[in-house]
């Protein structure tokens, strides 16, 4: 495999007109938001339907399977799709198709390997939890492949296809959930959830005209091990920090504190859905800026991060003006304790939003070592601030500790991006894999 320079990778040296470029950017961002809206609505509907159908205890078992899926999803993204969006966003169709063949094969391989482990563990556990994990193991390949298609389409700038794929999943969920409700078991709901994702995963093959090549997984992991292994640790540390903070807060202050924090986060839910939608396209867009106008990458990331931080502050300000009657209508008895956390939680989200701009820049630059250091530092600060604040001042202290931690983490992200941009200035022709 011969490394190619930026000029070789994108032979068209004439940039598109500014107006058309901006319209294209807005279009891609809009599809990212639409796709996340479809995904979030499906997840919300599944949670509500399962909770109403099964009750608290059984829903807890389903939630364990859901959380496990989230961890495995981060593993798959770190190894398969994160390197894809960094190195194959905005490249030629031939390069993209070859990469997607191996990337989706890697996601399928991760799902098969970890799914086999979940199946064995589930069969060994028995009881209520065992069948749920066994069914999750069977469904993981389809779940991870469906997610891989989303990122593949966004890497190609085809967010519409990702949106349609998520809509197909949502439509397939409806009859699957109805059948699961008649069976009335956790395992049935896990199977229904995973089977509908598998339908969307198969549809992704028809959308792209690409068949995942499982045998290409080893080559993909070898070629992108400089990114994949670091992104794997980075993604897992991100989800793990949130879990540790929740468990620690419950142990130090009590389960009610966890509910209060979760309630405050739910108030920011619509805004967080927007951020998640943007996160699908920020790295591919940063990679396009790097290829087409590398001198604008820093300002693009600053605009991206500053815009998200400003929007978070505006949303938090609106929440502070929310009447208590409306808050109680939304959260019920949780509103009183959650409303006391609006200011620190908003500042924490604003700090995280500011940092995502720098994170997108580092990933576009392929600076995996720097981004890993930043994420590990941010995760350590998050856990330390959240638990240290809880020990000193309870639930409110934990929220303020997390807010301070995210601001510190954001500063570190930006310091590393500045250093990475300076290094690129001194070494302006990096090698970028495109095959």
């Amino acid at each position: 495999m011969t490394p190619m320079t930026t000029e070789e990778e994108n032979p068209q040296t004439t940039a598109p007109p500014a107006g058309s470029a901006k319209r294209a950017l807005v279009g891609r961002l809009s599809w990212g938001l639409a796709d996340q809206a479809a995904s979030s609505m499906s997840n919300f509907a599944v949670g509500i339907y399962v909770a109403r159908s099964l009750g608290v205890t059984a829903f807890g078992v389903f939630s364990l399977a859901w959380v496990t899926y989230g961890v495995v999803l981060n593993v798959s993204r770190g190894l398969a799709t994160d390197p894809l969006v960094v190195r194959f966003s905005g490249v030629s169709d031939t390069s993209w198709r070859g990469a997607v063949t191996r990337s989706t094969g890697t996601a399928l391989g991760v799902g098969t390997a970890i799914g086999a482990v979940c199946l064995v563990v589930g069969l060994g556990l028995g009881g209520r939890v065992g069948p749920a994990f066994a069914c999750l193991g069977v469904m993981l390949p389809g779940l991870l492949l469906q997610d891989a298609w989303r990122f593949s389409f966004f890497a190609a700038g085809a967010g519409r296809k990702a949106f349609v794929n998520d809509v197909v999943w949502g439509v397939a969920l409806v009859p699957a959930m109805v059948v699961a409700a008649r069976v009335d078991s956790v395992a049935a709901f896990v199977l229904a959830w995973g089977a509908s994702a598998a339908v969307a995963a198969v549809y992704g093959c028809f959308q792209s005209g690409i068949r995942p090549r499982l045998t290409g997984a080893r080559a993909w992991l070898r070629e992108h091990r400089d990114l994949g292994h670091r992104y794997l640790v980075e993604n897992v540390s991100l989800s793990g920090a949130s879990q540790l903070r929740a468990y620690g807060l419950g142990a130090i202050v009590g389960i009610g504190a966890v509910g209060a924090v979760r309630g405050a986060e739910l108030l920011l839910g619509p805004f967080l859905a927007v951020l998640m939608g943007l996160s699908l396209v920020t790295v591919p867009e940063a990679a396009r800026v790097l290829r087409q106008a590398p001198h604008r990458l820093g300002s693009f990331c600053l605009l991206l991060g500053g815009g998200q931080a400003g929007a978070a502050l505006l949303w938090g300000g609106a929440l502070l003006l929310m009447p208590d009657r409306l808050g109680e209508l939304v959260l019920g008895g949780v509103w009183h304790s959650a409303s006391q956390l609006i200011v620190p939680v908003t500042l924490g989200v604003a700090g995280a939003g500011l940092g995502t701009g720098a994170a997108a820049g580092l990933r576009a630059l392929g600076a995996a070592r720097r981004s890993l250091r930043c994420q590990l530092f941010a995760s350590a600060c998050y856990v330390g601030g959240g638990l240290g604040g809880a020990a000193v001042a309870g639930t409110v202290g934990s929220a303020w500790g997390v807010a301070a931690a995210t601001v510190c983490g954001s500063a570190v992200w930006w310091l590393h991006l500045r250093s990475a941009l300076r290094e690129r200035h001194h070494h302006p022709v990096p090698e970028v894999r495109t095959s």
Side-chain angles (χ1 to χ4, degrees):
M1 180 182 65
T2 303
M4 298 182 70
T5 64
T6 304
E7 289 77 14
E8 291 173 319
E9 180 183 344
N10 186 9
Q12 295 181 350
T13 57
T14 302
S20 61
K22 288 182 179 179
R23 286 193 296 271
L25 173 60
V26 171
R28 290 191 293 267
L29 292 176
S30 299
W31 281 118
L33 294 175
D35 175 74
Q36 185 56 47
S39 178
S40 297
M41 289 178 62
S42 295
N43 291 339
F44 179 77
V46 168
I48 294 297
Y49 193 79
V50 174
R52 290 178 177 272
S53 299
L54 297 180
V56 176
T57 303
F59 180 63
V61 176
F62 182 84
S63 298
L64 287 176
W66 187 289
V67 170
T68 303
Y69 158 71
V71 175
V72 178
L73 186 64
N74 277 325
V75 173
S76 176
R77 288 178 177 177
L79 295 176
T81 53
D82 284 345
L84 176 75
V85 298
V86 168
R87 286 181 166 155
F88 297 92
S89 293
V91 301
S92 67
D93 183 68
T94 301
S95 296
W96 176 81
R97 294 179 70 85
V100 169
T101 299
R102 290 171 290 154
S103 175
T104 53
T106 302
L108 197 58
V110 171
T112 301
I114 301 182
V117 174
C118 288
L119 177 60
V120 172
V121 171
L123 293 175
L125 283 176
R128 285 187 170 185
V129 177
F133 272 79
C135 292
L136 176 65
V138 174
M139 294 293 107
L140 271 177
L143 285 163
L144 299 190
L145 180 58
Q146 191 277 336
D147 185 74
W149 285 127
R150 295 175 68 203
F151 281 84
S152 298
F153 292 139
F154 277 111
R160 179 182 61 84
K161 291 185 177 181
F163 170 75
V164 171
N165 194 274
D166 265 327
V167 170
V168 169
W169 186 3
V171 171
L173 266 172
V174 176
M177 286 292 163
V178 172
V179 173
R182 292 181 178 178
V183 178
D184 196 30
S185 70
V186 178
F189 278 104
V190 173
L191 286 175
W193 169 49
S196 55
V199 170
V202 173
Y203 180 64
C205 298
F206 289 98
Q207 284 180 292
S208 62
I210 296 173
R211 186 172 64 180
R213 185 158 57 91
L214 192 59
T215 55
R218 180 176 297 180
W220 178 264
L221 294 174
R222 183 177 63 252
E223 293 167 7
H224 304 285
R225 62 180 178 272
D226 57 325
L227 297 183
H229 294 165
R230 292 187 174 96
Y231 288 159
L232 170 63
V233 177
E234 187 177 327
N235 290 353
V236 173
S237 70
L238 177 63
S239 58
S242 178
Q243 295 298 318
L244 286 175
R245 187 253 183 141
Y247 295 150
L249 182 61
I252 295 172
V253 183
I255 299 300
V258 180
V261 171
R262 179 56 182 159
E265 291 174 347
L266 283 175
L267 291 174
L268 286 156
F271 178 76
L272 293 176
V274 171
L275 286 187
M276 291 176 67
L278 289 175
S279 69
L280 291 170
V281 294
T282 51
V283 177
E285 290 305 322
R288 288 186 178 90
V289 172
L290 179 62
R291 288 183 170 89
Q292 297 172 3
H295 61 284
R296 295 180 180 174
L297 180 61
S299 57
F300 172 81
C301 294
L302 183 60
L303 179 63
L304 181 66
Q308 292 180 82
L313 294 176
L314 289 175
W315 186 273
L319 290 177
L320 290 174
L321 300 176
M322 181 184 292
D324 287 340
R325 181 177 300 177
L326 181 57
E328 291 172 355
L329 179 65
V330 175
L331 293 180
V334 180
W335 164 251
H336 177 69
S337 55
S339 62
Q340 301 175 18
L341 308 178
I342 289 176
V343 173
V345 170
T346 298
L347 292 176
V349 173
L354 183 62
T356 57
L362 283 177
R363 289 208 164 185
L365 289 166
R369 183 174 299 177
R370 287 187 178 277
S371 64
L372 174 58
R373 290 174 183 171
C374 292
Q375 187 57 64
L376 291 176
F377 176 83
S379 297
C381 286
Y382 183 90
V383 175
L387 299 187
V392 173
T395 308
V396 175
S398 179
W400 278 107
V402 166
T406 53
V407 172
C408 291
S410 177
V412 171
W413 278 106
W414 279 102
L415 288 173
H416 274 272
L417 177 61
R418 186 177 67 172
S419 298
L421 289 173
R422 287 179 176 176
E423 289 178 359
R424 178 181 172 80
H425 178 72
H426 293 301
H427 305 282
V429 186
E431 293 185 342
V432 181
R433 295 185 178 94
T434 62
S435 61

